Amino acid sequence: MKSLRLYSSSSSSTCLILLLLIFSFSVSSNTTVDREKFDSLLQLPHSGSTRTRLRSKRVLFLGAFGAKGDGITDDSKAFQNAWEVACSIPTRTRILIPSGRTYLIHPVDIAGPCRSKVTLMISGTIIAPISPDAWIGLNPRKWIYFHGVNHLTVEGGGTVDGMGQEWWARSCKSNSTNPCRHAPTAITFHRCKNLKVRNLMIVNSQKMHMQFTNCMRVVASHLQVIAPATSPNTDGIHISVSKGVQVKDSIIRTGDDCISIVSNSSRIQIVNIVCGPGHGISIGSLGKSNSWSQVRDVIIDTALLSNTEKGVRIKTWQGGSGFASNIAFRNVVMDNVSNPIIIDQYYCDSQLPCLNQTLAVKVENISFTHIKGTSATEEAIRFACSDDSQCEGLYLEDVQLLPSTGEIARSFCWEAQGSSLGTVDPPACFSDSEEFVKQKVLLHPVSLVYGGKATL
């Protein structure tokens, strides 16, 4: 396993690691995980927090640009005008969206570069139009769209509400008779550098909640990202074609991946995360439509996943190319998680069956260490790798995944090469292990149950 670049740790990280150790002990003792206590240690701000001081000499109040803040009047033009003024000022400037008010913002394009650093303080509430019809004639994938802005800070303790209920009802994921259409990401940052996003609540997005694309040097922290478990495609934080991104000290509960990292991203750190409900923390999907993708140098460190449909996973499509490498998942507690550890090189999120193809994204140098908790499914570990491009350099250490319901837990391997150290339950089943050889003698796909007994 290649070494990964580490980031400096914080006092909150130390607290959460200690908490995870307590949870690990509790889970192994069949004690129910108290998720609210875990949440409280993150010390996330409440909506409308005004703890951030206005240090700048230049403060632009949205009301001064004609915004009503009544939740009914369209305040998009006032927001746009305030941004253009702030962006043109040669000294550091803040735009204040005050607490106690609700601002209706239609799809808006926030462009850089700016002459100086800008801080957008969202202390009140921003809401989207309720009806998808507000996007007629506009790009249906965008709501609040920042691009080309350097040294931007977005903070303030307020709320951004995508009002996504009507979008969800019209989704083909909710009703197969509906046509499949694009839907907006609530907040997109595109081609932004030296970006800070912190102390915000983002809720009920139309589709993804927050997305970083083609960004560099990003820190996203103390976020709450919330949507119903049934809301389709509402990923919490999506990272694409970006480098040097850190997401930390956040709570994410949505209807899809809590965090997804895709196509051509590297030097990503995810630390101190509460996830669930949702689909866990994912690398991918990669390689869709025979595309080339690479994700490398990723650390997921210190997380609690609770009642999620998936745990930590890597997912790739058949026919893709590129690689997913040098990725570490560590210090993760699973509470009643379905499929806690997954590498799936046969991923197929399609209404039609996917064709069998030999080309595959290469998966190598992946580690899972200090992963403990309970699995809601019999299969706790699944490594389903390509026939023509085996997974290599997989590593398991100190993995204890017990069944939630008293059933047995097992691991499954196909074309997976690796090693393990210390306690690994259910046992590892790598193709170069003794257990794998026993399974081959039985002419059965590799499948080991918790306790080391093979089943047919």
Side-chain angles (χ1 to χ4, degrees):
M1 181 72 186
K2 298 178 181 178
S3 63
L4 298 178
R5 181 177 298 177
L6 298 179
Y7 295 74
S8 61
S9 60
S10 63
S11 59
S12 62
S13 175
T14 302
C15 291
L16 288 171
I17 290 173
L18 290 173
L19 181 62
L20 285 179
L21 292 175
I22 295 171
F23 278 137
S24 299
F25 179 79
S26 298
V27 169
S28 62
S29 304
N30 295 320
T31 302
T32 302
V33 174
D34 189 343
R35 187 171 60 188
E36 295 304 320
K37 291 181 179 178
F38 187 94
D39 294 359
S40 67
L41 286 189
L42 294 180
Q43 296 181 341
L44 297 176
H46 298 290
S47 178
S49 171
T50 58
R51 288 180 289 176
T52 303
R53 295 181 180 179
L54 300 178
R55 299 175 184 172
S56 173
K57 294 180 180 179
R58 298 276 186 175
V59 181
L60 306 180
F61 293 86
L62 207 58
F65 293 84
K68 300 299 183 183
D70 58 11
I72 300 172
T73 305
D74 182 0
D75 290 323
S76 307
K77 187 62 176 176
F79 185 33
Q80 188 82 56
N81 290 342
W83 174 263
E84 291 175 358
V85 171
C87 195
S88 67
I89 295 174
T91 57
R92 182 177 302 197
T93 306
R94 295 176 184 265
I95 303 171
L96 177 61
I97 298 176
S99 61
R101 293 185 177 274
T102 300
Y103 297 87
L104 173 62
I105 303 295
H106 282 243
V108 62
D109 189 288
I110 308 299
C114 296
R115 297 184 65 187
S116 186
K117 298 178 181 179
V118 177
T119 297
L120 175 61
M121 292 194 61
I122 304 173
S123 296
T125 299
I126 292 176
I127 63 172
I130 294 175
S131 174
D133 293 343
W135 275 260
I136 292 176
L138 302 174
N139 189 330
R141 298 188 179 193
K142 301 175 182 178
W143 176 31
I144 302 173
Y145 183 73
F146 296 89
H147 62 99
V149 187
N150 298 332
H151 299 284
L152 171 66
T153 299
V154 182
E155 60 183 0
T159 300
V160 178
D161 189 342
M163 307 292 286
Q165 290 82 354
E166 184 60 30
W167 290 92
W168 307 336
R170 297 187 186 188
S171 170
C172 61
K173 290 290 185 72
S174 298
N175 186 337
S176 60
T177 63
N178 291 334
C180 292
R181 295 172 176 167
H182 296 303
T185 296
I187 307 176
T188 299
F189 298 95
H190 179 66
R191 295 190 180 278
C192 295
K193 298 179 181 179
N194 302 302
L195 170 66
K196 297 178 182 178
V197 185
R198 59 197 180 201
N199 302 319
L200 289 176
M201 178 178 287
I202 305 100
V203 301
N204 299 326
S205 179
Q206 305 91 336
K207 196 174 180 182
M208 295 178 182
H209 284 77
M210 182 175 291
Q211 179 173 227
F212 303 104
T213 64
N214 292 93
C215 291
M216 294 180 64
R217 297 183 293 276
V218 176
V219 179
S221 64
H222 293 92
L223 303 175
Q224 293 190 65
V225 184
I226 310 294
T230 55
S231 57
N233 297 120
T234 52
D235 293 51
I237 298 175
H238 185 72
I239 301 167
S240 175
V241 201
S242 295
K243 297 180 180 180
V245 178
Q246 186 181 38
V247 180
K248 62 181 181 178
D249 305 329
S250 296
I251 297 172
I252 306 173
R253 296 181 177 135
T254 68
D256 210 302
D257 293 334
C258 291
I259 298 173
S260 52
I261 305 166
V262 303
S263 60
N264 309 323
S265 295
S266 62
R267 295 188 291 112
I268 311 297
Q269 186 192 35
I270 310 298
V271 62
N272 299 345
I273 300 297
V274 174
C275 168
H279 294 179
I281 298 174
S282 294
I283 309 296
S285 63
L286 306 176
K288 185 177 182 180
S289 303
N290 300 329
S291 62
W292 186 93
S293 293
Q294 65 90 8
V295 172
R296 59 183 174 84
D297 301 332
V298 177
I299 297 174
I300 290 87
D301 189 352
T302 313
L304 169 65
L305 276 63
S306 181
N307 297 302
T308 54
E309 291 187 14
K310 300 291 187 292
V312 291
R313 64 171 168 167
I314 298 172
K315 49 184 179 179
T316 73
W317 295 73
Q318 294 184 75
S321 58
F323 57 89
S325 67
N326 212 22
I327 298 168
F329 301 93
R330 63 195 188 206
N331 300 317
V332 180
V333 171
M334 306 281 186
D335 174 28
N336 194 44
V337 170
S338 300
N339 307 113
I341 294 176
I342 308 174
I343 296 176
D344 181 9
Q345 294 211 265
Y346 301 90
Y347 181 74
C348 179
D349 183 18
S350 172
Q351 292 181 322
L352 299 175
C354 294
L355 298 176
N356 289 327
Q357 301 184 60
T358 57
L359 198 62
V361 174
K362 182 66 176 177
V363 176
E364 60 185 356
N365 298 329
I366 314 296
S367 69
F368 303 86
T369 59
H370 311 304
I371 313 291
K372 299 183 179 182
T374 55
S375 174
T377 52
E378 180 181 348
E379 192 172 80
I381 300 173
R382 180 176 183 83
F383 296 139
C385 301
S386 168
D387 288 328
D388 294 272
S389 182
Q390 292 183 330
C391 298
E392 297 179 336
L394 306 185
Y395 180 72
L396 296 170
E397 179 183 349
D398 189 24
V399 175
Q400 298 180 57
L401 295 169
L402 307 179
S404 297
T405 59
E407 301 288 335
I408 57 174
R410 62 185 177 89
S411 57
F412 170 88
C413 292
W414 185 256
E415 301 296 348
Q417 295 186 0
S419 61
S420 62
L421 180 67
T423 301
V424 176
D425 289 326
C429 55
F430 297 123
S431 57
D432 47 359
S433 67
E434 180 181 351
E435 289 86 356
F436 180 85
V437 173
K438 291 178 182 178
Q439 291 297 313
K440 283 294 187 182
V441 171
L442 295 172
L443 298 178
H444 186 272
V446 182
S447 179
L448 299 180
V449 301
Y450 173 72
K453 297 180 181 180
T455 59
L456 296 178

